[in-house]
């Protein structure tokens, strides 16, 4: 129903309303974006049926991950198939979480770089402490 009835019906109604100036034209930014992706805009349905459909997608992702985690006990390399960031973002989208709760990729990279620097500093500090302890024992 979604693709054979609702999508064409909404597209047709929107086109008529735009031609008759029953609704204001889309902002220029949206029109530019539309042209860069081939002139097509995707509608996202948010009704009960669409939510149920997305819920099944969420369960599929979770089941897939559960199976992979079970396999990983014997073959850890199977986890290399999954992109954890993409999985988390997709689940957030499918579950209908607001996009403003997710950090941008730039923010995530900054946080990860800071964490890595802190870990390196801690490792250097521990190595220095071990060297001092070894020197004290030797003395």
């Amino acid at each position: 129903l979604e693709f054979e009835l609702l999508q064409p019906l909404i597209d047709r109604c929107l086109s008529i309303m735009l031609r008759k100036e029953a609704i204001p034209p889309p902002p220029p930014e949206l029109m530019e974006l539309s042209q860069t992706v081939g002139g097509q805009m995707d509608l996202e349905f948010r009704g009960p049926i669409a939510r149920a459909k997305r819920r099944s997608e969420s369960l599929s992702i979770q089941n897939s991950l559960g199976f992979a985690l079970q396999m990983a006990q014997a073959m850890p390399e199977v986890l290399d198939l999954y992109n954890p960031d993409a999985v988390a973002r997709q689940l957030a989208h499918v579950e209908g979480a607001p996009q403003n709760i997710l950090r941008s990729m730039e923010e995530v990279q900054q946080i990860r770089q800071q964490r890595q620097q802190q870990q390196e500093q801690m490792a250097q500090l521990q190595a220095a402490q071990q060297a001092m302890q070894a020197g004290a024992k030797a003395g």
Side-chain angles (χ1 to χ4, degrees), residues 4 22 34-35 38 54 64 66 74 78 80 93 123 127 132 135 139:
E4 292 179 8
S34 167
Q35 290 172 357
R54 285 193 302 272
S64 172
V78 76
D80 297 340
H93 173 73
M132 287 175 45

Side-chain angles (χ1 to χ4, degrees), residues 39-124:
Q40 292 292 324
M41 288 186 241
D42 291 332
L43 296 175
E44 183 174 315
F45 295 96
R46 295 183 178 241
I49 294 173
R51 281 195 305 272
K53 183 178 171 187
R54 285 193 302 272
R55 183 71 180 146
S56 82
E57 183 180 343
S58 172
L59 290 173
S60 296
I61 293 169
Q62 292 173 31
N63 289 340
S64 172
L65 285 174
F67 181 71
L69 288 172
Q70 289 176 356
M71 284 183 62
Q73 293 175 2
M75 299 174 281
E77 61 275 4
V78 76
L79 295 178
D80 297 340
L81 291 172
Y82 292 89
N83 176 341
D85 293 339
V87 169
R89 285 186 186 281
Q90 185 64 23
L91 279 172
H93 173 73
V94 167
E95 292 293 334
Q99 291 299 306
N100 64 349
I101 68 168
L102 299 177
R103 290 189 171 111
S104 70
M105 287 308 295
E106 293 81 20
E107 289 175 299
V108 171
Q109 288 300 332
Q110 286 177 340
I111 291 169
R112 289 178 179 167
Q113 287 174 351
Q114 290 172 353
R115 186 180 301 129
Q116 184 177 4
Q117 289 171 352
Q118 289 172 349
Q119 288 172 346
E120 290 171 359
Q121 290 172 352
M122 290 298 290
Q124 290 173 353

Side-chain angles (χ1 to χ4, degrees), residues 24-37:
E29 299 86 14
L30 185 60
M31 294 306 292
E32 288 174 20
L33 181 63
S34 167
Q35 290 172 357
T36 61
V37 294

